[in-house]
Amino acid sequence: LTQQPPVAIPQRPEPPRPTAPQLPTLGEIFVGKVTASDETAVLIAVPGFGDDTAIGILSADVLGGRTDRYRVGNAARVEVTNVRTLKSGRVILELKPAAKRKE
């Protein structure tokens, strides 16, 4: 009687766990929703984060005073130029408009 080698039972790979959202870093481009706009700045939501945790700011200086080009609810493609954290822990991303993607 010959012994058969044990049959390996294929293991199912575990499904990847969803990763926690990551804050965009310096130089990174992302698309966020415009949440507020006035003559001084445009506020842009950071995907995956509440406004009380992280917010993006496009200042009127960077836009040449043209904050009227950004409407609340629209998407804006932006690049991170600076990251700072307030004493409260809220992260402020200073932004500039990002170049349109070349298709």
Side-chain angles (χ1 to χ4, degrees):
L1 224 94
T2 59
Q3 265 200 331
Q4 301 262 332
V7 176
I9 299 170
Q11 296 292 319
R12 267 196 202 152
E14 281 192 38
R17 290 197 174 106
T19 57
Q22 296 287 314
L23 272 173
T25 56
L26 196 63
E28 196 170 327
I29 293 173
F30 71 93
V31 176
K33 187 174 279 196
V34 176
T35 60
S37 177
D38 65 19
E39 63 279 352
T40 61
V42 177
L43 297 183
I44 297 182
V46 180
F49 293 88
D51 288 355
D52 56 339
T53 307
I55 192 76
I57 298 178
L58 259 173
S59 74
D61 295 342
V62 172
L63 297 171
R66 298 294 317 264
T67 59
D68 58 333
R69 293 183 2 195
Y70 292 86
R71 301 260 185 264
V72 172
N74 286 354
R77 183 174 157 84
V78 292
E79 181 177 340
V80 179
T81 60
N82 192 22
V83 179
R84 56 192 167 95
T85 305
L86 303 179
K87 287 181 184 173
S88 65
R90 185 181 194 195
V91 176
I92 305 297
L93 300 177
E94 292 177 22
L95 308 170
K96 70 177 184 180
K100 292 200 177 356
R101 270 189 278 195
K102 293 184 176 147
E103 300 287 327

